[in-house]
Amino acid sequence: AKAPPVYAKLQQAGAVFGQRFGWERPSWFAPAGVPAEDVYSFRRSNWFPHVADEVKAMRERVGLMELSSFAKYTVEGKGARAFLDRLVANAIPKAIGRINLCHALNPSGSVRSEFTIARLPDGLYGERFYLVGPGAAHDYDWDFLARQIPKDGTVVLQDLTTQMGVFVLAGPNARDVLAGLADADVSNEAFPWLTVRDIPVGFCPNVRSLRVNFVGSLGWELHHPIEYQLHLFDALMQAGEAHGIAHVGLRAMDSMRLEKSYRLWGTDLNAENSVLEAGLDRFVRLQKGDFVGKDALTRQIEAGIPNRFCTIEIDADDADPFGNEPVFMDGQVVGRGTAGGFGHHVRKSLMLGYVRSAFAEIGRPCQVRILGDLRPARIVAESPYDPENLALRA
């Protein structure tokens, strides 16, 4: 197993670990006196109230997550921009310090890989970009990138996954915590949403701070040289004490991303559904030059998009959807779930998934089968939590 330097500290804090692609990651944190173990069930289980507390902490105060399992790469050189531009459907960030979410597509127009691409200051070989992808996709994406690299030396590709640790610091008080440690201006004016800056934090001289996260709150991903992780962890926890900082695990993150209708690579974003069916039109630039999958998307727009990505709210009992549940309307199956769970902040059982376009209207009632029962449900507007993204832009 792959474990970050702070593994023992997380364990002391009550972490109950799960794993993703061999990385040990805290699923949730057991408070003092609560057994630090999962009791598996198809129904809401022993971690449910503790995950609720973690969500509350991050939505109302500030939380810290360890996410070093993210895959991280740099792409640099005279040909770096052209190389990336052919690979993904979105525009490559132009200004230094800007971040775009970009999808590499299959020829069919479905999502092959997802990267957060940040433009860094130019390097030794020319323009330089920092790519962050899902940890579970590391080998798959590395193979994909490495095989496409031009052979003429105009692009230099590096894998920084095990050299860089990542903390996610998020919640309304995240800026106050970071401001207490960073030797930089982290105000909204100086450091707006979707920007990246390398700044000193505590005694770590260079923390690549990206103002993005997968929970939909004000916050930063703090990418740091792995040898500074123990120091940074202690500094953040100490600085956060006055602001009510809490440890937050992966189950709470999943609850919060469902509340934002954020798509997860490999389940919500899959080889079956196109990026347009996934409702990610805003990340597709059809008017730019050629990129893989462009022709298929053009054809799909002409023919009509067969399915739509929907957020569904379910009148659940003591069991929530996992994904892959069928969606029924008038006795026929009109779609399927790709992910599900309980949104602890909005206090609703939520499912994400694809519904045939003719049936995919907001407000439309449907039924979802959970543990053999057809539960009443309805299609709701995307992002049940903070649809205007006010928290992210705060």
Side-chain angles (χ1 to χ4, degrees):
K2 295 173 274 195
V6 291
Y7 180 86
K9 287 179 183 275
L10 296 172
Q11 207 165 20
Q12 279 168 347
V16 182
F17 289 95
Q19 71 81 32
R20 186 82 163 164
F21 196 60
W23 286 94
E24 294 275 338
R25 310 196 304 185
S27 298
W28 61 286
F29 288 83
V34 172
E37 60 186 31
D38 283 334
V39 177
Y40 285 103
S41 171
F42 288 109
R43 300 181 190 279
R44 293 172 188 166
S45 194
N46 65 320
W47 59 76
F48 190 82
H50 309 299
V51 170
D53 291 342
E54 292 172 27
V55 170
K56 185 177 167 69
M58 202 169 237
R59 286 276 189 248
E60 295 177 8
R61 305 191 309 274
V62 59
L64 186 69
M65 296 179 64
E66 201 289 324
L67 270 174
S68 300
S69 55
F70 275 137
K72 313 153 209 95
Y73 321 92
T74 53
V75 175
E76 186 182 337
K78 289 202 292 276
R81 178 177 292 277
F83 165 69
L84 290 171
D85 210 25
R86 274 195 311 276
L87 229 56
V88 300
N90 201 353
I92 304 302
K94 284 197 167 51
I96 288 169
R98 287 300 295 164
I99 295 172
N100 282 355
L101 182 64
C102 300
H103 300 87
L105 307 183
N106 292 307
S108 67
S110 64
V111 175
R112 190 204 186 282
S113 301
E114 180 180 62
F115 301 106
T116 299
I117 300 184
R119 173 143 188 232
L120 302 177
D122 292 354
L124 209 54
Y125 307 105
E127 273 193 288
R128 193 162 56 114
F129 298 92
Y130 188 58
L131 277 60
V132 184
H138 175 271
D139 287 17
Y140 181 74
D141 285 344
W142 175 252
D143 175 67
F144 174 61
L145 293 168
R147 279 195 297 165
Q148 313 262 351
I149 283 286
K151 303 288 183 275
D152 59 5
T154 55
V155 181
V156 179
L157 172 68
Q158 262 189 307
D159 180 4
L160 302 180
T161 301
T162 54
Q163 297 168 39
M164 302 280 275
V166 181
F167 289 124
V168 173
L169 180 73
N173 299 347
R175 179 177 286 117
D176 298 332
V177 176
L178 191 57
L181 286 173
D183 194 6
D185 185 350
V186 296
S187 66
N188 210 15
E189 299 68 40
F191 206 145
W193 184 40
L194 296 178
T195 53
V196 59
R197 290 177 65 194
D198 286 359
I199 59 175
V201 179
F203 290 115
C204 182
N206 196 10
V207 175
R208 184 158 294 156
S209 308
L210 286 74
R211 203 172 145 195
V212 291
N213 60 71
F214 204 49
V215 300
S217 289
L218 166 68
W220 282 264
E221 282 180 13
L222 303 172
H223 295 239
H224 50 274
I226 200 77
E227 59 271 23
Y228 282 99
Q229 185 170 67
L230 290 166
H231 158 68
L232 205 53
F233 178 83
D234 289 343
L236 287 164
M237 289 308 292
Q238 208 174 338
E241 211 172 317
H243 303 285
I245 199 165
H247 292 290
V248 175
L250 272 290
R251 290 202 180 116
M253 182 178 86
D254 201 50
S255 170
M256 288 184 273
R257 71 102 182 173
L258 291 171
E259 295 181 335
K260 288 295 292 172
S261 306
Y262 284 164
R263 288 81 157 146
L264 187 67
W265 175 86
T267 50
D268 309 310
L269 304 179
N270 53 54
E272 195 180 318
N273 298 99
S274 79
V275 70
L276 299 178
E277 288 180 289
L280 297 177
D281 321 43
R282 64 191 181 279
F283 301 112
V284 177
R285 296 279 180 276
L286 281 173
Q287 67 278 25
K288 76 170 195 169
D290 203 30
F291 61 87
V292 177
K294 182 177 179 174
D295 297 346
L297 298 183
T298 311
R299 286 196 301 272
Q300 193 174 61
I301 289 167
E302 286 165 9
I305 295 166
N307 300 288
R308 295 281 177 188
F309 193 79
C310 291
T311 303
I312 296 171
E313 180 192 296
I314 302 168
D315 299 337
D317 182 24
D318 63 343
D320 299 298
F322 283 84
N324 278 327
E325 291 84 359
V327 179
F328 291 89
M329 283 185 193
D330 306 324
Q332 61 166 326
V333 175
V334 297
R336 74 171 181 96
T338 49
F342 192 76
H344 285 280
H345 186 79
V346 299
R347 303 211 166 163
K348 291 184 179 1
S349 193
L350 298 171
M351 185 170 85
L352 307 179
Y354 292 90
V355 173
R356 295 218 301 272
S357 294
F359 300 91
E361 291 167 56
I362 289 169
R364 193 151 178 175
C366 56
Q367 293 171 306
V368 175
R369 191 166 65 213
I370 298 177
L371 297 184
D373 286 339
L374 280 178
R375 309 293 311 181
R378 66 218 56 87
I379 297 173
V380 295
E382 190 157 293
S383 192
Y385 172 73
D386 187 29
E388 308 286 304
N389 284 335
L390 301 178
L392 283 171
R393 298 171 193 271

